[in-house]
Amino acid sequence: MRSQPRSRSVRGSVSAMTEPEDIPRAVDLLRAGRLVAFPTETVYGLGADASQPAAIAHLYRVKGRAATHPVIVHCESAETAFEWAAEVPGAARQLAATFWPGPLTLVLKRSAHAGDYLTGGQDSVGLRVPAHPVALALLAAFRTATAGRGRPAGLAAPSANRSGRISPTTALHVRIELGEDVDCVLEGGASEVGIESTIVDLSRGRAVVLRPGHIPAEALAEALGEPVVLAGAEDEQAQADAPRAPGSHTRHYAPATPAHLVAPHALGAEIARYGAQAAVLAFSPPDERSDYWLRMPAEPEAYARKLYGALRELDEAACQVILIESPPDGAQWVAVRDRLRRATAEN
Ligand code: TXA
Ligand code: MG
């Protein structure tokens, strides 16, 4: 790829891998109502003390997020996470035992601790125990430091990007995205999974996948011993039945450059149409010469890991359009297709 990216300077330094002494400082900031970005195995999160409404209001301002859009509460164990819920059905215990710590968010009926300021006014709350050593060290230290407050310990953490933009998968992305608006960024390397957690709603009597992710519906069904429903564009009946994850059908995870999905057979013609103004994400070198193109892995998990970094890189090329070769059909590609659909949705 030709390297003439739009240059943007990065203010503040990104520290090397988080050291044990960084954790207490981060905990102090969180207790003071400040924002700490931290790595998870999915994407980086922008953390704030989930039991301080003022801290959460600040988090929403920095994200540019609508007050009706709920956040996920992150905890160091299932036991702590379930304190935020009013009811913990057997299915929730089963999924937590199988997949936590891991890239799974459970939506459960909320307890009195989870106020409207966290849930966007919904009667449910999203909960996750992430599988990243830095995240778990932070959450454990935060719990110890806040024990005895009479409230469960948790960090509200949406992805550490401005609302609607691409989720960050490195600490550097967070710095570029949020600059001085984030008080501390804990470094934890590139996120292994690369796309956001699978979200399962268990608050309405049956398991509904609100957002596909690394953990596929089949694995959830196997753990539960019963089928799960996939809400979303690929299943219109389920979509009609399901509670909506707010913002789930608008442009999201999106680069600033308009992006389009293009069928493999049409890619050459589309590149020819835009010429030097096309940046391209493809599975193999395009027939039509393109100055800005990135090759994507043919395997869905590797594709997901690389996706957001690749979209950021092509966005930096400041072309007129980003052309994305459509991935194959098939269940293994559901989560990737979901993110690509949203990245390429009209506003
Ligand atoms: O992988 C992830 O889940 C990342 C990392 C940082 O953990 N977090 C993340 O958070 O993606 P965010 O805020 O960018 O996306 C959270 C999604 C939103 O689509 C929101 O609507 C949904 O979770 N959500 C949260 N609580 C919910 C609830 N009570 N009911 C329905 N959807 C909920
Ligand atoms: Mg997000």
Side-chain angles (χ1 to χ4, degrees):
M1 193 169 129
R2 195 166 71 193
S3 59
Q4 285 175 314
R6 220 185 267 158
S7 72
R8 280 196 226 155
S9 63
V10 182
R11 283 167 169 275
S13 61
V14 176
S15 59
M17 202 58 84
T18 299
E19 301 289 343
E21 60 268 27
D22 298 332
I23 299 288
R25 190 181 144 255
V27 168
D28 287 345
L29 286 168
L30 290 163
R31 294 178 69 191
R34 311 280 288 275
L35 305 182
V36 172
F38 60 92
T40 85
E41 79 282 29
T42 58
V43 300
Y44 275 66
L46 182 60
D49 182 350
S51 57
Q52 290 187 44
I56 303 305
H58 177 48
L59 173 68
Y60 273 63
R61 269 195 304 277
V62 166
K63 279 261 325 169
R65 170 171 272 193
T68 51
H69 194 150
V71 285
I72 297 169
V73 179
H74 295 65
C75 298
E76 49 83 40
S77 67
E79 194 191 349
T80 306
F82 290 152
E83 290 179 44
W84 293 91
E87 282 168 31
V88 184
R93 295 193 191 283
Q94 186 61 45
L95 293 182
T98 311
F99 297 109
W100 279 353
L104 178 69
T105 295
L106 299 178
V107 172
L108 302 177
K109 285 242 184 300
R110 66 174 175 179
S111 71
H113 297 296
D116 286 346
Y117 67 93
L118 281 176
T119 70
Q122 304 200 53
D123 62 356
S124 58
V125 60
L127 301 167
R128 179 160 113 81
V129 179
H132 190 292
V134 173
L136 288 171
L138 177 69
L139 290 164
F142 182 74
R143 196 186 80 135
T144 304
T146 57
R149 289 196 304 186
R151 286 166 285 167
L155 298 179
S159 52
N161 52 281
R162 310 276 182 195
S163 193
R165 301 296 315 281
I166 304 167
S167 300
T169 51
T170 68
L172 181 63
H173 293 166
V174 179
R175 280 285 179 207
I176 292 172
E177 181 85 21
L178 299 178
E180 310 280 285
D181 287 346
V182 56
D183 300 300
C184 168
V185 182
L186 295 175
E187 170 70 54
S191 296
E192 276 286 311
V193 171
I195 56 172
E196 305 77 3
S197 60
T198 305
I199 302 180
V200 183
D201 186 355
L202 293 170
S203 70
R204 285 160 180 82
R206 61 172 187 163
V208 178
V209 177
L210 299 182
R211 180 173 71 183
H214 181 79
I215 299 175
E218 296 70 38
L220 300 170
E222 196 182 315
L224 291 175
E226 61 183 47
V228 301
V229 181
L230 189 63
E234 299 198 354
D235 181 342
E236 282 172 20
Q237 186 53 47
Q239 195 182 331
D241 293 349
R244 282 177 55 141
S248 63
H249 299 289
T250 51
R251 188 167 161 86
H252 217 90
Y253 316 118
T257 311
H260 301 302
L261 273 172
V262 183
H265 71 269
L267 195 59
E270 281 298 290
I271 295 171
R273 186 149 89 96
Y274 289 98
Q277 278 305 313
V280 181
L281 209 61
F283 288 100
S284 52
D287 296 338
E288 198 67 33
R289 197 182 119 68
S290 170
D291 287 332
Y292 295 103
W293 84 277
L294 289 175
R295 182 179 208 143
M296 294 302 284
E299 186 275 314
E301 291 183 356
Y303 188 109
R305 189 177 307 129
K306 187 171 175 183
L307 176 61
Y308 288 153
L311 286 176
R312 278 176 187 273
E313 201 173 330
L314 292 183
D315 211 11
E316 291 281 296
C319 287
Q320 192 183 329
V321 70
I322 296 174
L323 302 175
I324 304 171
E325 182 176 4
S326 299
D329 293 335
Q332 333 81 283
W333 288 92
V334 165
V336 163
R337 281 201 306 272
D338 170 79
R339 300 313 187 275
L340 291 178
R341 231 186 351 261
R342 297 179 201 208
T344 56
E346 305 288 332
N347 267 316

